């Protein structure tokens, strides 16, 4: 375990690390699917929508497309997925409403209490690919006590592009090791470490459902490796 | 009084509207001045430092200089003011420390409670020319319960440039009238109204000390005009 006395701020991946997007999207999509595609499993639908996430951001990361916020990408991806399933002629307001599923995700059970503890000692903020309004809506609905909303929209780039991490370090006025990224994804942590950030892996072995095969454990010697965020709070001297 | 049912979010000017910068800077500068310029009045020093604020931002607003955050401008202005007073040969760390005076400002007595009330019904965020870390430090020290930190650094421009207001409307996914700017400065509100935002004036008649002559009252028919933020919370249906 790394000496943590130099850490001044913690930033968090959100989708998968703080919130359970799969259960939330499935729950929010259920009534829509009941109306438009009664045979379709809501978890399969959530997984299909989520599969479009990385490729759509890659258009921006590669420079082929200027930065647009995730709400826009999510909506485009939703239309693709609906078309794929043969769900057509859905009125725009209904698509807009379903797109807000991502604004109504529930946190993992440990998240709110642990963030409240960590906030007493550190600056805490999301470092998500989600846009600011999306992050604010999630936080207000369930009480995530962020000090600021950082991430893709503030940096105008998508993780794991290096400028998202370096711009965040700069905004917070820190040296890179003073900023710790907390994430359930080894690739996110690897990108942060490249820029000199401190890294903390939290296991979320059911983010992708019961048959998840990726990110089941730390794949490098991250500075902290924990089973949940309360364990991280303890290791950082913030336990209640 | 305007019908307020369409307002979804409130953004606030901070220096002067939420915090009392003059008393705070004077208090923070006192021990420095005791060491380096014992005859100099700390309020006069605060006023002199503050007089450099608008001209330094004008360099950015005019396009003569790319956006740099307020912490940088404040430090440059501090060096100018020290030179003006003949205070020279001060070590850099001592200047850096004094520059943090702006991170340790106290709120006006009504601010924290009123913001807590308003937060239950609205998204609340600063829309300040202060940079993100500066806003976070002020908020954490005294408990300002912001949902996000918006403003100059997110928009990469300084108020009253129109893009600060329009970019904030866009980030929040709102129509302009759904966003209300709360400020103690008529010029800030005028710029916001140009972009279609709702406007609320709060009187802060001692922001510039006992002999203040500007912004003593609303100079246009702003949508809301109040004596403090608790009165605004009441008018917006958020009173305790």
């Amino acid at each position: 375990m790394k000496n943590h006395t130099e850490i001044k701020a913690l930033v968090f991946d959100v989708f998968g690390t703080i919130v359970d997007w799969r259960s939330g999207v499935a729950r929010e999509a259920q009534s829509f699917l009941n109306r438009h595609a009664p045979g379709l499993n809501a978890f399969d639908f959530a997984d299909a929508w989520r599969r479009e996430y990385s490729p759509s951001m890659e258009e921006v990361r590669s420079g082929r497309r200027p930065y647009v916020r995730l709400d826009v990408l999510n909506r485009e991806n939703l239309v693709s997925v609906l078309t794929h399933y043969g769900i057509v002629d859905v009125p725009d307001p209904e698509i807009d409403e379903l797109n807000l599923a991502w604004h109504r995700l529930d946190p993992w059970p440990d998240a709110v209490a642990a963030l409240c503890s960590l906030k007493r000692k550190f600056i805490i903020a999301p470092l998500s690919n989600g846009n600011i309004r999306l992050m604010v809506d999630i936080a207000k609905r369930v009480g995530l006590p962020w000090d600021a909303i950082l991430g893709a929209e503030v940096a105008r780039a998508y993780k794991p592009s290096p400028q998202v991490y370096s711009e965040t370090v700069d905004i917070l006025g820190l040296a890179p090791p003073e900023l710790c990224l907390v994430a359930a994804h080894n690739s996110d942590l690897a990108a942060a470490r490249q820029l000199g950030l401190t890294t903390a892996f939290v296991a979320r072995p059911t983010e992708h459902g019961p048959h998840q095969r990726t990110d089941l454990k730390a794949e490098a010697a991250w500075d902290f490796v924990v089973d949940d965020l309360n364990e991280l709070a303890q290791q950082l001297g913030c336990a209640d």
Side-chain angles (χ1 to χ4, degrees), chain A:
Chain A
M1 189 178 96
K2 181 168 169 164
N3 182 321
H4 59 71
T5 54
E6 69 179 337
I7 298 172
K8 300 287 197 304
L10 300 164
V11 288
F12 296 78
D13 174 66
V14 172
F15 300 121
T17 301
I18 297 293
V19 300
D20 175 6
W21 58 265
R22 187 172 186 262
S23 301
V25 170
R27 179 196 68 224
E28 291 289 323
Q30 189 63 65
S31 67
F32 176 93
L33 295 175
N34 289 347
R35 290 194 302 279
H36 293 283
L40 185 53
N41 179 283
F43 287 99
D44 293 344
F45 178 80
D47 291 337
W49 194 358
R50 175 62 175 74
R51 272 194 296 275
E52 304 294 319
Y53 175 76
S54 292
S56 66
M57 288 189 299
E58 187 54 30
E59 291 298 298
V60 175
R61 283 192 291 252
S62 67
R64 286 190 293 270
R65 182 176 185 180
Y67 173 79
V68 290
R69 49 184 69 103
L70 188 63
D71 274 338
V72 174
L73 298 179
N74 275 347
R75 195 186 188 287
E76 293 173 359
N77 296 339
L78 174 56
V79 171
S80 296
V81 170
L82 293 176
T83 305
H84 167 80
Y85 282 119
I87 306 169
V88 292
D89 297 331
V90 180
D92 272 349
E94 219 178 329
I95 295 179
D96 292 338
E97 178 61 25
L98 182 53
N99 199 41
L100 292 175
W102 294 88
H103 294 233
R104 301 187 194 113
L105 303 177
D106 286 335
W108 298 109
D110 52 306
V112 175
L115 288 176
C116 289
S117 298
L118 290 163
K119 180 174 175 147
R120 281 184 232 128
K121 189 163 164 184
F122 302 103
I123 294 170
I124 60 166
L127 191 78
S128 169
N129 281 330
N131 48 290
I132 294 173
R133 176 64 191 269
L134 175 44
M135 288 295 116
V136 167
D137 283 351
I138 290 175
K140 279 187 89 76
R141 184 173 162 277
V142 300
L144 302 176
W146 304 125
D147 289 310
I149 306 291
L150 302 175
E153 188 167 10
V154 178
R156 288 174 174 74
Y158 281 111
K159 293 191 296 181
S161 294
Q163 62 262 42
V164 182
Y165 310 93
S166 56
E167 174 88 5
T168 302
V169 164
D170 201 38
I171 284 170
L172 291 173
L174 298 175
E178 295 176 325
L179 182 63
C180 178
L181 175 69
V182 183
H185 308 126
N186 287 281
S187 59
D188 198 0
L189 297 171
R193 175 170 277 184
Q194 282 280 349
L195 277 297
L197 277 69
T198 297
T199 51
F201 177 85
V202 54
R204 297 300 192 192
T206 60
E207 174 190 352
H208 291 276
H211 308 298
Q212 181 168 326
R213 290 175 177 220
T214 55
D215 289 316
L216 293 173
K217 58 184 178 55
E219 290 161 14
W222 308 123
D223 300 306
F224 300 88
V225 175
V226 294
D227 285 328
D228 66 34
L229 295 175
N230 288 314
E231 190 183 340
L232 182 65
Q234 274 186 331
Q235 292 194 15
L236 294 176
C238 302
D240 283 317

